[in-house]
Amino acid sequence: MMAVDQGLGGKQGVWDRHFNFAFLDEGVKREIRRALVKAVCLPGHQIPFASRELPIARGWGTGGLQITMAMLGKDDVLKVIDQGCDGSVNAVNLRRLLQRTTGVKTVTKTQEATLIQTRHRVPETPLKKGQIMIYQVPQPEPLRRVEPSELATRRMHGEKDYAKIWVHLYEDISRHGASTAGAGHPVRVKGHYIMSPSPIPKHDLAKLNQSPCLHLFGAGREKRIYAVPPWTDVQPLAFNDVPFMTESFRDENGDTQPCARCGCLVSYKDEILDQDGKGASFVCSDTDWCDSKLAGGR
């Protein structure tokens, strides 16, 4: 049996009434929202929650998906991206599940969305007040690489004892000349907690700092939720004498490579191998941004 909703901006939204709205039952949604309130009040602090079973495997975004299900309302406009792409398998299937169980309007345009669920990218289009970014997080604990004990990491966060991760960063720079963390470089939130920003590229970390929108992070397998409220300081870990470096897309001559589709120089790009495997080109990771540039926008 199907039901029709009249509250989607004048358009009809259809969802499958074999499921509760947004799949999760209302008690579960309330529990997740309570955890989110705590997370917003303590920026960067990990809040435990009872992660539920979903019709997707853990590790495929269940944490972010549960937050999205708890936050979605009938009037929301949803965008789901995977590594910046609206058309990947992960993005398409999560979008289909959410649309089928809510009937909400789904879009690919970042500017039109009220909720954006993402796997490891922040859109290139500047975010605005009132939007909510929801991140799928595989490993929420930034200290795990230097401390395997969960009890010890909780104590270190509580005491603001981050010596081990600073030593790890120092050793990395000493050996390689720069931080080798390709994604998920730890950040300090509001001058206190060190936080894992999900494995987003370094290019995107600046978008978290003093952002006008709310950023919510969910790790389903690890059963943790945390948040960065609007207008919050978020700074990547770096030493004063070694500047933080983001990814660069340069050729052997040191020239920045433009996107092969739209010609953009400032976006984060994916490297695409030629058919013969002997050469490569770069294209924008954010498909909405690239398409808009091609159409003459922005």
Side-chain angles (χ1 to χ4, degrees):
M1 181 176 66
M2 307 298 285
V4 179
D5 174 47
Q6 303 288 345
L8 303 176
K11 297 182 179 180
Q12 291 185 345
V14 181
W15 75 92
D16 190 336
R17 288 300 294 254
H18 288 97
F19 303 102
N20 188 52
F21 182 86
F23 189 79
L24 296 176
D25 65 73
E26 299 308 312
V28 171
K29 293 178 189 176
R30 284 193 294 270
E31 191 267 338
I32 293 174
R33 291 174 192 141
R34 284 193 293 267
L36 290 171
V37 170
K38 294 178 183 178
V40 171
C41 292
L42 296 168
H45 178 56
Q46 299 171 52
I47 307 297
F49 79 111
S51 180
R52 267 63 175 191
E53 295 292 336
L54 292 176
I56 62 172
R58 293 189 187 276
W60 288 82
T62 57
L65 184 59
Q66 288 177 79
I67 294 178
T68 301
M69 288 173 167
M71 296 293 292
L72 264 178
K74 296 179 181 179
D75 296 323
D76 277 310
V77 180
L78 176 68
K79 174 182 170 73
V80 182
I81 55 176
D82 175 18
Q83 302 287 7
C85 178
D86 296 278
S88 70
V89 172
N90 184 273
V92 168
N93 283 286
L94 293 187
R95 186 187 307 116
R96 182 182 300 152
L97 171 63
L98 290 165
Q99 204 285 326
R100 181 180 176 187
T101 57
T102 62
V104 300
K105 180 181 178 182
T106 60
V107 296
T108 59
K109 295 293 184 183
T110 301
Q111 294 175 326
E112 298 175 5
T114 58
L115 267 70
I116 304 172
Q117 180 173 327
T118 179
R119 179 174 178 263
H120 315 336
R121 276 307 315 277
V122 182
E124 302 289 350
T125 302
L127 301 170
K128 57 187 179 182
K129 181 180 178 181
Q131 289 183 312
I132 298 176
M133 285 290 302
I134 300 172
Y135 298 80
Q136 301 170 210
V137 182
Q139 176 50 261
E141 180 50 74
L143 302 177
R144 187 63 67 231
R145 67 186 69 182
V146 297
E147 178 51 66
S149 169
E150 180 67 24
L151 183 62
T153 57
R154 292 183 186 182
R155 177 190 57 77
M156 292 165 70
H157 282 298
E159 297 176 355
K160 202 177 177 180
D161 177 12
Y162 295 124
K164 284 188 176 182
I165 199 165
W166 280 110
V167 170
H168 174 80
L169 181 60
Y170 171 78
E171 291 177 344
D172 196 19
I173 294 174
S174 298
R175 292 171 182 169
H176 307 287
S179 171
T180 58
H185 186 91
V187 297
R188 188 185 292 276
V189 182
K190 207 175 180 180
H192 187 110
Y193 289 109
I194 287 183
M195 183 191 87
S196 170
S198 178
I200 64 175
K202 296 177 184 177
H203 172 88
D204 289 344
L205 292 182
K207 302 172 188 175
L208 300 179
N209 185 49
Q210 289 294 311
S211 172
C213 79
L214 173 63
H215 299 263
L216 304 175
F217 301 81
R221 185 168 47 198
E222 300 292 328
K223 302 181 180 180
R224 291 290 186 272
I225 283 173
Y226 50 104
V228 174
W231 311 115
T232 299
D233 288 333
V234 178
Q235 298 297 331
L237 291 192
F239 294 103
N240 293 335
D241 57 342
V242 181
F244 176 72
M245 301 292 291
T246 62
E247 297 87 353
S248 62
F249 305 95
R250 302 179 184 276
D251 58 18
E252 59 274 8
N253 299 320
D255 298 324
T256 300
Q257 292 294 292
C259 171
R261 291 186 71 229
C262 69
C264 182
L265 291 170
V266 299
S267 63
Y268 182 83
K269 299 176 182 69
D270 294 326
E271 186 175 8
I272 307 298
L273 293 176
D274 296 339
Q275 291 183 351
D276 57 8
K278 297 181 179 180
S281 58
F282 293 94
V283 296
C284 293
S285 169
D286 188 333
T287 53
D288 169 46
W289 172 268
C290 194
D291 291 343
S292 297
K293 294 284 286 185
L294 279 173
R298 291 197 277 273

